Each structure stands twice: as C-alpha cells, then as structure tokens.
C-alpha cells in the first residue's frame, strides 16, 4: 500500500491568505483508502472547520462524486472503492520536524494508526520527522 499525503497548508497560507507557511500549524486530517493507496489529507484549522469540509474539498479536487448527509454533518464520497477510514487532529512543527496525530472525528471516527507511523516516515513529506501518535 502506498501512502499519499495531501496537505492544504500551502494552498491556504500561500494562496488564500497570502502569508508565509508557518513553522508550526495545526488542524484536522482524514484518512482514506482507494485500491492500494492510502490518503492522508491534512488541512489547517483556518481552512476547514470540520472533517467533512476537508473531504468535500478533496473530492472536488479529485473529481469524485460525493455529497453531504441530510444533517450536513458528514460528506461521503460516492465513488466505488473509496473508503473513509477515519480522522483526527494534527500538529506540525517544521523546525523540530515533528508530526503529532491525535483525537478522532465525530463524523468518521478515529483514524487507523496500525503501522501508520512507519508508513508516514517513508513518505517524502515526513521523511526524517518524529511521528507522535496519541
């Protein structure tokens, strides 16, 4: 399984709010799978208030069909072989090279952390980082 990182930090900080990328930032993330790929989609707290907002943006970016439930609390991808595994919160410290994952998503449950630390350390984005999972 290949782990693919999607991080909306650059989109938000550089292109939407016209700031530099901060050394430290935090937010929420969702974990998905599609065929043999695992996706971890990170979004700064200023970009997405809810996990469902992250999924909606990701779906539109990937041209995937999806929609909100009747209470607008959950956004589901309606394409075959796409599975939402869960979500949580994160903190990134780019100077210390540290990524902390914790908590869960009220809409999707907790992310699957089995083997996640090792998979993240093998990605280009988090190579050399200390990965903390609570």
């Amino acid at each position: 399984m290949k782990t693919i990182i999607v991080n909306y930090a650059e989109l938000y900080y550089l292109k939407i709010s016209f700031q530099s990328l901060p050394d430290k930032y935090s937010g929420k993330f969702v974990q998905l799978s599609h065929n043999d790929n695992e996706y971890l989609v990170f979004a700064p707290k200023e970009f997405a208030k809810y996990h469902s907002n992250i999924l909606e943006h990701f779906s539109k970016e990937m041209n995937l069909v999806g929609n909100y439930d009747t209470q607008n609390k959950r956004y589901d991808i309606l394409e075959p072989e796409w599975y939402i595994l869960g979500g949580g919160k994160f903190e990134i410290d780019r100077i210390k090279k540290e990524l902390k994952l914790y908590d869960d998503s009220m809409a999707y449950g907790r992310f699957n952390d089995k083997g996640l630390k090792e998979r993240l350390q093998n990605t280009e984005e988090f190579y050399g980082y200390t990965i903390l999972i609570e």
Side-chain angles (χ1 to χ4, degrees), residues 74-87:
R74 183 182 168 101
Y75 187 91
D76 288 305
I77 296 173
L78 304 177
E79 301 279 346
E81 305 301 318
W82 280 93
Y83 302 100
I84 302 165
L85 303 176

Side-chain angles (χ1 to χ4, degrees), residues 3-124:
T3 300
I4 299 167
I5 305 299
V6 177
N7 189 342
Y8 292 127
E10 288 189 9
L11 170 65
Y12 175 75
Y13 290 112
L14 304 179
K15 296 181 180 175
I16 295 173
S17 67
F18 303 104
Q19 304 174 44
S20 59
L21 189 62
D23 293 336
K24 294 181 185 180
Y25 61 94
S26 61
K28 296 183 178 188
F29 74 96
V30 292
Q31 182 184 40
L32 306 102
S33 68
H34 179 250
N35 295 329
D36 287 334
N37 295 318
E38 169 188 43
Y39 291 81
L40 284 151
V41 186
F42 295 86
K45 60 186 171 199
E46 301 90 347
F47 181 75
K49 186 173 181 180
Y50 301 108
H51 289 92
S52 58
N53 302 138
I54 300 169
L55 282 167
E56 178 185 22
H57 188 83
F58 177 77
S59 294
K60 288 178 180 176
E61 185 177 73
M62 299 288 287
N63 293 316
L64 301 172
V65 175
N67 64 16
Y68 278 96
D69 66 2
T70 56
Q71 298 170 347
N72 279 339
K73 292 186 176 184
R74 183 182 168 101
Y75 187 91
D76 288 305
I77 296 173
L78 304 177
E79 301 279 346
E81 305 301 318
W82 280 93
Y83 302 100
I84 302 165
L85 303 176
K89 295 179 181 175
F90 74 89
E91 296 173 8
I92 291 179
D93 186 326
R94 296 173 51 234
I95 301 300
K96 287 184 179 177
K97 289 191 143 190
E98 194 172 89
L99 170 66
K100 178 180 169 184
L101 304 177
Y102 61 99
D103 212 356
D104 59 15
S105 164
M106 290 178 65
Y108 306 105
R110 182 172 167 84
F111 59 98
N112 179 1
D113 62 0
K114 186 177 181 182
L116 183 57
K117 181 178 181 177
E118 294 76 17
R119 291 193 307 277
L120 283 169
Q121 288 173 325
N122 287 322
T123 64
E124 181 180 332

